[in-house]
Amino acid sequence: MKRKVILAESAGFCFGVQRAVDQTTKIQKEYGKKIYTLGPLIHNNDVVKFLENNEVFSISLDEITKLSKGDAVIIRSHGVSKEVMDLLESKGLIIIDATCPFVTNIQKKVNKYSKEGYQIVILGDKDHPEVIGINGWCNNNAIITKDGEFHGRIPNKVCVVSQTTEKEENWVNTIKNLSVITKELLAFNTICAATEVRQKGVLELSKTVDLMIIVGGKNSSNTTKLYQIAKTNCDRTIHIENSSELPKEIINDKTISKIGITAGASTPDWIINEVVELMEGDI
């Protein structure tokens, strides 16, 4: 029996991640020596291993002291705080800023409006590097909400932005709640367009299939959200990092005739294709 496998149109690398990976591989070839990324370049273990094999290594901020003046450090697509950027510059390191332009736009907004007296509100995960970085451009004074709910006092003058990979429903809830508790509200929906398209795509696809496979890093925020959305429509939804994690009972299950596949923004095409090919095989 040949199963029908449908790959979502927007699966895989987003613009910001593709840009960061391309920049990194290009810089490494130019330098011809070991270079570093501040934290894993993207939330995908397979890509991190690929980069290590090509002399690109992830380091933590605590390890910066081990580097020498003139060493190259890449800022990943999530971006960093102003404080971290200043620290890297003070060490005499060569900085390659691969921050996603959409994230840079958010950083500029919170920097500008915090200086104008607005309380910055960020919709997102307080522990995610993108949100930590954004907060660092308004003196780490932002109010961060994971779902648009607020339990403390909110000032009357607010500027609200969103983590680029947030759910649209959380943004709607954030605006609804802020609009009744603030007098002056500046709202910038900074959910990335690619994220929105990806989430809408998985929402519709998951309604039509017997099995939904979400491919991407287990620590990837946008991939986790795709899984959550798909699960609301399709009980048989699984989240895997690569084809090696596909359960044999699913691969050989003859009751599954229609399969939907999508992938997070940090998942390269070759990993997606391996999953597609394995699920398209005759059973």
Side-chain angles (χ1 to χ4, degrees):
M1 180 182 88
K2 190 83 171 178
R3 290 177 294 205
K4 184 175 183 181
V5 177
I6 304 170
L7 177 63
E9 289 184 21
S10 56
F13 277 177
C14 67
F15 162 76
V17 169
Q18 185 69 62
R19 175 177 174 271
V21 172
D22 289 347
Q23 274 187 283
T24 300
T25 52
K26 179 183 176 184
I27 291 296
Q28 202 286 321
K29 287 177 182 176
E30 289 177 359
Y31 278 74
K33 64 176 184 178
K34 189 184 293 186
I35 64 172
Y36 304 90
T37 65
L38 190 57
L41 185 68
I42 62 176
H43 286 157
N44 185 283
N45 291 327
D46 293 286
V47 174
V48 170
K49 288 173 186 173
F50 167 80
L51 291 170
E52 287 176 351
N53 291 333
N54 287 274
E55 294 292 281
V56 180
F57 295 89
S58 167
I59 60 169
S60 67
L61 190 60
D62 294 339
E63 296 174 299
I64 288 296
T65 54
K66 297 178 183 178
L67 301 187
S68 304
K69 184 176 180 180
D71 279 341
V73 177
I74 295 171
I75 305 299
R76 56 190 179 170
S77 57
H78 300 113
V80 295
S81 66
K82 185 178 186 305
E83 182 182 9
V84 170
M85 191 67 82
D86 291 344
L87 173 64
L88 296 177
E89 289 175 352
S90 72
K91 299 289 184 184
L93 301 170
I94 297 170
I95 304 168
I96 298 98
D97 190 357
T99 303
C100 173
F102 297 117
V103 176
T104 301
N105 176 51
I106 305 172
Q107 294 173 346
K108 288 179 178 177
K109 278 181 167 52
V110 302
N111 188 42
K112 169 181 166 65
Y113 289 106
S114 64
K115 288 178 179 177
E116 293 180 13
Y118 287 85
Q119 169 62 57
I120 302 298
V121 171
I122 305 171
L123 168 64
D125 176 359
K126 64 182 176 60
D127 297 319
H128 193 280
E130 180 187 319
V131 174
I132 292 170
I134 292 168
N135 194 16
W137 288 88
C138 58
N139 297 315
N140 296 306
N141 288 325
I143 294 171
I144 302 171
T145 174
K146 65 178 182 178
D147 53 11
E149 297 296 323
F150 300 91
H151 305 289
R153 179 184 170 276
I154 303 295
N156 284 324
K157 190 175 179 180
V158 167
C159 171
V160 57
V161 297
S162 173
Q163 183 177 339
T164 55
T165 54
E166 257 304 332
K167 291 181 186 176
E168 188 68 30
E169 65 188 73
N170 286 342
W171 175 254
V172 171
N173 193 47
T174 301
I175 299 307
K176 181 187 75 173
N177 290 333
L178 284 176
S179 63
V180 296
I181 56 178
T182 60
K183 289 183 178 178
E184 185 177 350
L185 177 62
L186 277 180
F188 297 100
N189 185 347
T190 50
I191 298 175
C192 176
T195 296
E196 192 174 348
V197 169
R198 200 181 302 262
Q199 291 181 357
K200 286 181 178 178
V202 76
L203 180 67
E204 295 306 314
L205 180 57
S206 60
K207 293 175 182 176
T208 68
V209 296
D210 304 315
L211 170 70
M212 196 72 210
I213 301 173
I214 315 298
V215 189
K218 294 292 170 60
N219 59 342
S220 164
S221 172
N222 75 90
T223 307
T224 301
K225 289 183 176 66
L226 293 177
Y227 171 79
Q228 293 168 346
I229 292 168
K231 190 73 174 174
T232 60
N233 293 318
C234 182
D235 286 337
R236 298 189 78 174
T237 296
I238 61 172
H239 178 183
I240 60 172
E241 291 208 351
N242 52 50
S243 61
S244 70
E245 294 186 358
L246 277 169
K248 287 185 178 178
E249 60 268 25
I250 283 182
I251 297 173
N252 299 319
D253 191 338
K254 294 185 178 182
T255 67
I256 301 171
S257 59
K258 194 174 181 182
I259 301 163
I261 297 176
T262 193
S266 299
T267 310
D269 287 346
W270 58 271
I271 288 180
I272 301 169
N273 293 336
E274 284 179 355
V275 175
V276 171
E277 289 170 10
L278 193 54
M279 296 310 297
E280 279 183 336
D282 293 333
I283 58 171

